[in-house]
């Protein structure tokens, strides 16, 4: 076999001519997968950089804490008004008469402020959602590979019990082993 290998190496220069010729007509799947994985990694890195907040100072944390106050304050305030209406209806009615005196332009201004506040919160939540989707999408190739590996392990999948090109495994399957329990079972069946 050594002489044949040397002769082939002499004729073809030690290269894999069949592979090189095939790559002219068909893309190398392994190289394509490597390029695709590299591209996907770069895209996800860039995508994550766009949505990563750069906040770390005390002022930023204080402003974030203040931004979180209006929604709970509005919800708890509204619930408090319901409780006040049930506990002391006269006190509640007096307060609502005071609100009736607020001029309409001030109501419009309050509506604009609340709309912009909740709109900004919606934008922030939307960006968080997009960041979570990007993280989930980065796990898709791994999940697909795992599913393919699990499907290959199914007993009803074609070639599940194939030993492949491994001659040691093929011989281990064909040659009986020393198993006293199996020998005893065979003896019982023959009797």
């Amino acid at each position: 076999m050594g002489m044949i290998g040397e002769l082939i190496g002499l004729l073809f220069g030690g290269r894999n001519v069949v592979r090189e010729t095939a790559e002219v007509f068909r893309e190398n799947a392994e190289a394509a997968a490597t390029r695709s994985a590299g591209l996907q990694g770069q895209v996800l890195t860039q995508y994550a950089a766009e949505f990563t907040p750069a906040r770390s100072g005390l002022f930023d944390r204080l402003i974030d804490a203040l931004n979180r106050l209006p929604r709970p304050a509005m919800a708890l305030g509204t619930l408090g008004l319901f409780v006040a209406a049930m506990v002391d209806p006269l006190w509640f009615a007096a307060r609502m008469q005071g609100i009736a005196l607020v001029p309409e332009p001030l109501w419009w201004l309050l509506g604009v402020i609340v709309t912009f506040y909740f709109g900004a919160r919606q934008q922030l939540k939307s960006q968080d959602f997009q960041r979570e989707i990007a993280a989930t999408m980065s796990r898709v190739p791994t999940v697909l590979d795992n599913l393919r590996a699990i499907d290959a392990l199914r007993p009803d999948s074609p070639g599940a019990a194939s030993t492949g090109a491994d001659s040691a495994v093929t011989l281990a399957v064909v040659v009986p082993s020393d198993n006293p329990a199996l020998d005893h079972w065979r003896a019982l069946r023959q009797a």
Side-chain angles (χ1 to χ4, degrees), residues 90-119:
L90 295 178
W91 178 88
F92 180 77
R95 299 310 169 273
M96 292 302 109
Q97 289 303 313
I99 287 179
L101 296 177
V102 174
E104 188 172 342
L106 195 55
W107 283 113
W108 282 98
L109 180 61
L110 178 65
V112 168
I113 291 171
V114 170
T115 301
F116 277 122
Y117 172 75
F118 284 110

Side-chain angles (χ1 to χ4, degrees), residues 3-140:
M3 191 163 94
I4 294 173
E6 289 179 22
L7 181 62
I8 291 175
L10 180 67
L11 291 175
F12 297 114
R15 300 182 329 203
N16 190 342
V17 176
V18 174
R19 184 191 59 174
E20 291 175 5
T21 304
E23 286 180 355
V24 170
F25 299 103
R26 186 179 182 279
E27 180 182 22
N28 184 334
E30 184 178 350
T34 303
R35 286 191 299 271
S36 175
L39 176 66
Q40 186 178 16
Q42 290 173 352
V43 167
L44 289 175
T45 301
Q46 179 183 356
Y47 192 68
E50 290 178 11
F51 294 103
T52 302
R55 302 176 185 153
S56 61
L58 177 65
F59 178 75
D60 289 328
R61 289 194 303 249
L62 178 66
I63 294 301
D64 284 343
L66 288 175
N67 280 337
R68 290 185 177 102
L69 287 179
R71 287 171 46 142
M74 288 172 57
L76 292 174
T78 303
L79 291 175
L81 287 175
F82 279 104
V83 170
M86 290 184 283
V87 171
D88 191 358
L90 295 178
W91 178 88
F92 180 77
R95 299 310 169 273
M96 292 302 109
Q97 289 303 313
I99 287 179
L101 296 177
V102 174
E104 188 172 342
L106 195 55
W107 283 113
W108 282 98
L109 180 61
L110 178 65
V112 168
I113 291 171
V114 170
T115 301
F116 277 122
Y117 172 75
F118 284 110
R121 294 293 294 175
Q122 176 61 29
Q123 176 68 26
L124 181 64
K125 294 297 181 184
S126 174
Q127 288 175 349
D128 287 342
F129 179 68
Q130 290 174 356
R131 189 178 313 117
E132 290 174 13
I133 286 179
T136 301
M137 293 304 292
S138 70
R139 292 190 295 264
V140 167

Side-chain angles (χ1 to χ4, degrees), residues 170-179 182-183 186:
T170 303
L171 287 175
V173 170
V174 175
V175 176
S177 63
D178 295 331
N179 187 341
L182 186 56
D183 292 339
R186 284 183 185 145

Side-chain angles (χ1 to χ4, degrees), residues 141-163:
T142 305
V143 169
L144 290 176
D145 289 341
N146 290 343
L147 287 174
R148 282 188 208 105
I150 290 170
D151 282 342
L153 295 175
R154 290 181 162 280
D156 59 347
S157 66
S162 174
T163 59

